[in-house]
C-alpha cells in the first residue's frame, strides 16, 4: 500500500476538524442559520459584495457545509469543492455551469440512467448535444469529437455494468483537445480511485452513496480546481440554488470520517462474493472489475489503487430469476441506491434501468437477468450463505 493510500485513513478520520474559535469542539458544530450579522456597514459592503471572504447568506455559504466541502476536496486531492442537495444537483450544476447552447458532450453508453435522461433533456430543451460512445479509447473519442465538443463525461466503474474507462488516457485526450473531463467517481470513491490525480478536471459524487455511507441522506459534491469551483459556485450555487443544508452536510461529514475503513470492508466483501458467484451454476456472468477474467480488469488494476469497490452485478439469465433471487434473500435488502453499510440487491432492468425503449435497452447492454448488488460491511460468511440460499431458490438446476 502506498503512502498516499495509508494517509487516506488519517485524512478521513480528521476530515473537517473545526479550527479557531469554536470552544475547542472536536466535532464540527452545525450552524443552523441562514443569515450572519455584520459588525458595521463597511464590513457588510465588503463581504456582501464578495471583496472580502465571509458568510452572509445561507445559499452562499455556511461553516458546516464548508467543512464538508473541504474534507471531500482533501480526499479527492482537489483544490476546492462545492456541495449540493443531491448527486443530480451536482451533475446538472457542473454541466450547466460549464456548457452553453451549441456545445457538445461525449459520454459513455454505460452510465447512471438519470445522467442519461439529463443529457437527453438538456439536448432537447437547451441545445447542448451529446454523443454516447461504446468505448472511450482515443480513436473512438476522436471519431465522436466535433468542433463544438466541450466536455467528456466519465463514469468508471459504471452503473450497473461496472465498465471500466482508462481515465488517464481519456483525460490526456481531453487535455490535448481543450476539453473538460468530468468523472463521476460515485462507485469508486476517493479511497479506491482519484480521477483528479489521473488528469480529470472535475470529480462529482452522489454523496448519497459511499460518502454518506449509511443510506440516511441525499447529497452531492463536485471537486475541481479553485477557479473551476468558483465558476460553478457563481452559477450553480448562487443562481440554481440546489445547495445542501448544514444538517445534511454535517451528517455527510460524519459518514465521511469512516469512509476508508468502510471501503476496505466493502472491497473485500465484494471481491469474495464476486469470486464465489463466478463459480456458481446459473450465474451467466459476473460483472466486477476485480475479477481477472473481467474486461476492464487490467485498467482497473492500474487506476483503482485502493481496491475494486463494493458494487457488483451478475446475470441470472432472465428477469424472472433475478426477481426470484431478490425475493429470496434474507440478510440482503431489496432496495435501490447503494453505498450504505447494509447489502442491497435489485433487479436492474425492472428498477433503476426501467423504462428504456427496446433499442435503448439493446444499446445499454444491460441483460434482463441482471442483479445489481451493493455489497455492505456485514460478515462475509452471512452474506455468502444468504446469496447461495437465494440462488438455490432462484435458479432451476442450480448445483449449489
Ligand atoms: C445515485 C447516483 C447518482 C445520482 O445521485 P443522487 O444523489 O441520487 O442525485 C449519480 N451517479 C451515480 C453513479 C449514482 O450512483
Amino acid at each position: 500500500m502506498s503512502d498516499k493510500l495509508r494517509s487516506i485513513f488519517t485524512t478521513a478520520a480528521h476530515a473537517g476538524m473545526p479550527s479557531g474559535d469554536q470552544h475547542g469542539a472536536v466535532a464540527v458544530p452545525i450552524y443552523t442559520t441562514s443569515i450572519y450579522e455584520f459588525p458595521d456597514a463597511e464590513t457588510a459592503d465588503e463581504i456582501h459584495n464578495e471583496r472580502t471572504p465571509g458568510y452572509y447568506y445561507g445559499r452562499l455559504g455556511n461553516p458546516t457545509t464548508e467543512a464538508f466541502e473541504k474534507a471531500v476536496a482533501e480526499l479527492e486531492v482537489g483544490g476546492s469543492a462545492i456541495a449540493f442537495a443531491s448527486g443530480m444537483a451536482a451533475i446538472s450544476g457542473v454541466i450547466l455551469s460549464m456548457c452553453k447552447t451549441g456545445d457538445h458532450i461525449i459520454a459513455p453508453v454505460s452510465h447512471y440512467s438519470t445522467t442519461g435522461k439529463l443529457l437527453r433533456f438538456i439536448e432537447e430543451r437547451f441545445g447542448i448535444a451529446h454523443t454516447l460512445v461504446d468505448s472511450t479509447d482515443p480513436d473512438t473519442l476522436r471519431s465522436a469529437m466535433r468542433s463544438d465538443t466541450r466536455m467528456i463525461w466519465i463514469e468508471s466503474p459504471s452503473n450497473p455494468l461496472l465498465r471500466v474507462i482508462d481515465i488517464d488516457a481519456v483525460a490526456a485526450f481531453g487535455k490535448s483537445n481543450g476539453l473538460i473531463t468530468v468523472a463521476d467517481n460515485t462507485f469508486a470513491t476517493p479511497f479506491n480511485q482519484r480521477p483528479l490525480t489521473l488528469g480529470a478536471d472535475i470529480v462529482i459524487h452522489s454523496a448519497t452513496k459511499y460518502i454518506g455511507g449509511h443510506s440516511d441522506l441525499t447529497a452531492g459534491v463536485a471537486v475541481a480546481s479553485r477557479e473551476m469551483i468558483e465558476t460553478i459556485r457563481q452559477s450553480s450555487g448562487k443562481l440554481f440554488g440546489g445547495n445542501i443544508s448544514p444538517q445534511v452536510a454535517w451528517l455527510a461529514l460524519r459518514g465521511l470520517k469512516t469512509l476508508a475503513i468502510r471501503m476496505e470492508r466493502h472491497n473485500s466483501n465484494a471481491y469474495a462474493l464476486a469470486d464465489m458467484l463466478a463459480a456458481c451454476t446459473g450465474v451467466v456472468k459476473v460483472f466486477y472489475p476485480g475479477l481477472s477474467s473481467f474486461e476492464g480488469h487490467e485498467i482497473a488494476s492500474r487506476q483503482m489503487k485502493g481496491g475494486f469497490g463494493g458494487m457488483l452485478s451478475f446475470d441470472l439469465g432472465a428477469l424472472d430469476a433475478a426477481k426470484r433471487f431478490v425475493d429470496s434473500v434474507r440478510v440482503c435488502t431489496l432496495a435501490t441506491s447503494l453505498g450504505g453499510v447494509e447489502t442491497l440487491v435489485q433487479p436492474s432492468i425492472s428498477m433503476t434501468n426501467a423504462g428504456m425503449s427496446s433499442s435503448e435497452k439493446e444499446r445499454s447492454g444491460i441483460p434482463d437477468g441482471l442483479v445489481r448488488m451493493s455489497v455492505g460491511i456485514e460478515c462475509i460468511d452471512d452474506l455468502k450463505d444468504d446469496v447461495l440460499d437465494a440462488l438455490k431458490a432462484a435458479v432451476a438446476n442450480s448445483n449449489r
Side-chain angles (χ1 to χ4, degrees), residues 325-326 329 332-336 343-347 371-374:
F325 178 86
V326 301
V329 289
C332 305
T333 303
L334 167 58
T336 195
T343 298
L344 307 179
V345 290
Q346 68 162 28
V371 174
R372 192 188 75 181
M373 194 163 187
S374 169

Side-chain angles (χ1 to χ4, degrees), residues 19 23 39 71 86 91 149-150 177 185 214 222 235 274 277 289 300 352 375 377:
S19 56
H23 311 287
S86 70
I91 292 173
T149 302
R150 168 90 170 137
N177 289 286
N185 205 31
H214 295 75
S235 48
L277 282 162
T352 300
V375 182
I377 64 168

Side-chain angles (χ1 to χ4, degrees), residues 20-77:
D21 56 350
Q22 297 175 86
H23 311 287
V26 171
V28 177
I30 306 175
Y31 283 88
T32 307
T33 186
S34 58
I35 50 170
Y36 304 83
E37 184 183 10
F38 304 111
D40 52 61
E42 197 47 46
T43 315
D45 182 356
E46 282 291 311
I47 292 176
H48 203 280
N49 293 297
E50 297 181 13
R51 287 189 301 272
T52 301
Y55 303 109
Y56 60 101
Y57 187 61
R59 173 159 37 81
L60 306 165
N62 176 285
T64 313
T65 300
E66 205 173 280
F68 171 58
E69 292 170 339
K70 195 162 150 275
V72 181
E74 261 177 59
L75 293 178
E76 283 288 3
V77 198

Side-chain angles (χ1 to χ4, degrees), residues 76-114:
E76 283 288 3
V77 198
S80 193
I82 177 169
F84 292 91
S86 70
M88 284 315 298
I91 292 173
S92 57
V94 163
I95 293 178
L96 293 175
S97 298
M98 292 294 159
C99 298
K100 61 179 190 319
T101 301
D103 284 346
H104 172 249
I105 300 169
I106 301 172
V109 167
S110 183
H111 56 242
Y112 178 62
S113 63
T114 312

